[in-house]
mmCIF file of all heavy atoms in Angstrom:
data_model
loop_
_atom_site.group_PDB
_atom_site.id
_atom_site.type_symbol
_atom_site.label_atom_id
_atom_site.label_comp_id
_atom_site.label_asym_id
_atom_site.label_seq_id
_atom_site.Cartn_x
_atom_site.Cartn_y
_atom_site.Cartn_z
ATOM 1 N N PHE A 156 4.030 -7.030 -12.667
ATOM 2 C CA PHE A 156 3.803 -8.338 -12.180
ATOM 3 C C PHE A 156 4.196 -8.495 -10.689
ATOM 4 O O PHE A 156 5.120 -7.785 -10.217
ATOM 5 C CB PHE A 156 4.586 -9.358 -12.975
ATOM 6 C CG PHE A 156 4.240 -9.411 -14.434
ATOM 7 C CD1 PHE A 156 4.935 -8.648 -15.361
ATOM 8 C CD2 PHE A 156 3.268 -10.258 -14.929
ATOM 9 C CE1 PHE A 156 4.634 -8.625 -16.737
ATOM 10 C CE2 PHE A 156 2.932 -10.281 -16.276
ATOM 11 C CZ PHE A 156 3.599 -9.492 -17.190
ATOM 12 N N ALA A 157 3.515 -9.428 -10.031
ATOM 13 C CA ALA A 157 3.910 -9.770 -8.685
ATOM 14 C C ALA A 157 3.533 -11.253 -8.408
ATOM 15 O O ALA A 157 2.545 -11.713 -8.975
ATOM 16 C CB ALA A 157 3.239 -8.872 -7.610
ATOM 17 N N GLN A 158 4.302 -11.918 -7.597
ATOM 18 C CA GLN A 158 4.058 -13.336 -7.279
ATOM 19 C C GLN A 158 3.540 -13.399 -5.857
ATOM 20 O O GLN A 158 4.196 -12.879 -4.937
ATOM 21 C CB GLN A 158 5.325 -14.159 -7.477
ATOM 22 C CG GLN A 158 5.150 -15.636 -7.166
ATOM 23 C CD GLN A 158 6.390 -16.404 -7.447
ATOM 24 O OE1 GLN A 158 6.908 -16.376 -8.591
ATOM 25 N NE2 GLN A 158 6.970 -17.089 -6.479
ATOM 26 N N ASP A 159 2.443 -14.090 -5.638
ATOM 27 C CA ASP A 159 1.921 -14.217 -4.291
ATOM 28 C C ASP A 159 2.655 -15.309 -3.491
ATOM 29 O O ASP A 159 3.532 -15.985 -4.053
ATOM 30 C CB ASP A 159 0.364 -14.454 -4.292
ATOM 31 C CG ASP A 159 -0.028 -15.792 -4.917
ATOM 32 O OD1 ASP A 159 0.788 -16.699 -4.953
ATOM 33 O OD2 ASP A 159 -1.163 -15.884 -5.396
ATOM 34 N N ASN A 160 2.311 -15.429 -2.250
ATOM 35 C CA ASN A 160 3.026 -16.326 -1.389
ATOM 36 C C ASN A 160 2.858 -17.825 -1.783
ATOM 37 O O ASN A 160 3.658 -18.660 -1.384
ATOM 38 C CB ASN A 160 2.565 -16.164 0.086
ATOM 39 C CG ASN A 160 2.905 -14.767 0.596
ATOM 40 O OD1 ASN A 160 3.932 -14.165 0.197
ATOM 41 N ND2 ASN A 160 2.055 -14.229 1.428
ATOM 42 N N ALA A 161 1.833 -18.084 -2.574
ATOM 43 C CA ALA A 161 1.654 -19.494 -3.027
ATOM 44 C C ALA A 161 2.395 -19.822 -4.314
ATOM 45 O O ALA A 161 2.430 -20.983 -4.728
ATOM 46 C CB ALA A 161 0.126 -19.745 -3.202
ATOM 47 N N GLY A 162 2.924 -18.750 -4.974
ATOM 48 C CA GLY A 162 3.710 -19.005 -6.186
ATOM 49 C C GLY A 162 2.987 -18.627 -7.435
ATOM 50 O O GLY A 162 3.574 -18.781 -8.520
ATOM 51 N N THR A 163 1.796 -18.127 -7.363
ATOM 52 C CA THR A 163 1.024 -17.645 -8.528
ATOM 53 C C THR A 163 1.492 -16.258 -8.968
ATOM 54 O O THR A 163 1.648 -15.373 -8.098
ATOM 55 C CB THR A 163 -0.458 -17.610 -8.303
ATOM 56 O OG1 THR A 163 -0.908 -18.961 -8.071
ATOM 57 C CG2 THR A 163 -1.210 -17.075 -9.498
ATOM 58 N N VAL A 164 1.773 -16.061 -10.212
ATOM 59 C CA VAL A 164 2.196 -14.753 -10.736
ATOM 60 C C VAL A 164 0.945 -13.991 -11.241
ATOM 61 O O VAL A 164 0.163 -14.554 -12.068
ATOM 62 C CB VAL A 164 3.225 -14.897 -11.884
ATOM 63 C CG1 VAL A 164 3.699 -13.512 -12.368
ATOM 64 C CG2 VAL A 164 4.461 -15.686 -11.403
ATOM 65 N N TRP A 165 0.826 -12.766 -10.861
ATOM 66 C CA TRP A 165 -0.326 -11.904 -11.224
ATOM 67 C C TRP A 165 0.102 -10.744 -12.032
ATOM 68 O O TRP A 165 1.189 -10.197 -11.887
ATOM 69 C CB TRP A 165 -1.006 -11.372 -9.922
ATOM 70 C CG TRP A 165 -1.643 -12.387 -9.148
ATOM 71 C CD1 TRP A 165 -1.056 -13.324 -8.271
ATOM 72 C CD2 TRP A 165 -3.072 -12.674 -9.029
ATOM 73 N NE1 TRP A 165 -1.983 -14.085 -7.678
ATOM 74 C CE2 TRP A 165 -3.235 -13.752 -8.070
ATOM 75 C CE3 TRP A 165 -4.198 -12.160 -9.650
ATOM 76 C CZ2 TRP A 165 -4.498 -14.263 -7.785
ATOM 77 C CZ3 TRP A 165 -5.432 -12.671 -9.306
ATOM 78 C CH2 TRP A 165 -5.547 -13.683 -8.388
ATOM 79 N N LEU A 166 -0.749 -10.411 -13.065
ATOM 80 C CA LEU A 166 -0.576 -9.215 -13.897
ATOM 81 C C LEU A 166 -1.467 -8.088 -13.275
ATOM 82 O O LEU A 166 -2.622 -8.273 -13.180
ATOM 83 C CB LEU A 166 -0.973 -9.460 -15.297
ATOM 84 C CG LEU A 166 -1.021 -8.273 -16.261
ATOM 85 C CD1 LEU A 166 0.370 -7.630 -16.394
ATOM 86 C CD2 LEU A 166 -1.540 -8.670 -17.619
ATOM 87 N N PHE A 167 -0.805 -6.959 -12.934
ATOM 88 C CA PHE A 167 -1.528 -5.890 -12.289
ATOM 89 C C PHE A 167 -1.887 -4.731 -13.227
ATOM 90 O O PHE A 167 -2.598 -3.794 -12.867
ATOM 91 C CB PHE A 167 -0.693 -5.303 -11.154
ATOM 92 C CG PHE A 167 -0.798 -6.096 -9.886
ATOM 93 C CD1 PHE A 167 -0.149 -7.347 -9.790
ATOM 94 C CD2 PHE A 167 -1.449 -5.675 -8.769
ATOM 95 C CE1 PHE A 167 -0.186 -8.086 -8.671
ATOM 96 C CE2 PHE A 167 -1.502 -6.366 -7.611
ATOM 97 C CZ PHE A 167 -0.909 -7.591 -7.567
ATOM 98 N N GLY A 168 -1.419 -4.803 -14.514
ATOM 99 C CA GLY A 168 -1.777 -3.765 -15.463
ATOM 100 C C GLY A 168 -0.723 -3.565 -16.453
ATOM 101 O O GLY A 168 0.350 -4.104 -16.416
ATOM 102 N N GLU A 169 -1.030 -2.628 -17.385
ATOM 103 C CA GLU A 169 -0.122 -2.351 -18.523
ATOM 104 C C GLU A 169 -0.244 -0.878 -18.904
ATOM 105 O O GLU A 169 -1.310 -0.275 -18.827
ATOM 106 C CB GLU A 169 -0.442 -3.190 -19.713
ATOM 107 C CG GLU A 169 -0.289 -4.673 -19.507
ATOM 108 C CD GLU A 169 -0.751 -5.481 -20.715
ATOM 109 O OE1 GLU A 169 -1.405 -4.956 -21.609
ATOM 110 O OE2 GLU A 169 -0.522 -6.731 -20.710
ATOM 111 N N TYR A 170 0.866 -0.295 -19.232
ATOM 112 C CA TYR A 170 0.899 1.045 -19.826
ATOM 113 C C TYR A 170 1.567 0.942 -21.200
ATOM 114 O O TYR A 170 2.822 1.042 -21.334
ATOM 115 C CB TYR A 170 1.638 2.040 -18.928
ATOM 116 C CG TYR A 170 1.847 3.402 -19.564
ATOM 117 C CD1 TYR A 170 0.752 4.241 -19.879
ATOM 118 C CD2 TYR A 170 3.117 3.822 -19.958
ATOM 119 C CE1 TYR A 170 0.915 5.449 -20.464
ATOM 120 C CE2 TYR A 170 3.300 5.094 -20.550
ATOM 121 C CZ TYR A 170 2.132 5.859 -20.817
ATOM 122 O OH TYR A 170 2.305 7.115 -21.446
#
Side-chain angles (χ1 to χ4, degrees):
F156 298 92
Q158 180 175 303
D159 65 23
N160 296 328
T163 295
V164 181
W165 293 76
L166 171 63
F167 280 72
E169 297 174 351
Y170 172 66

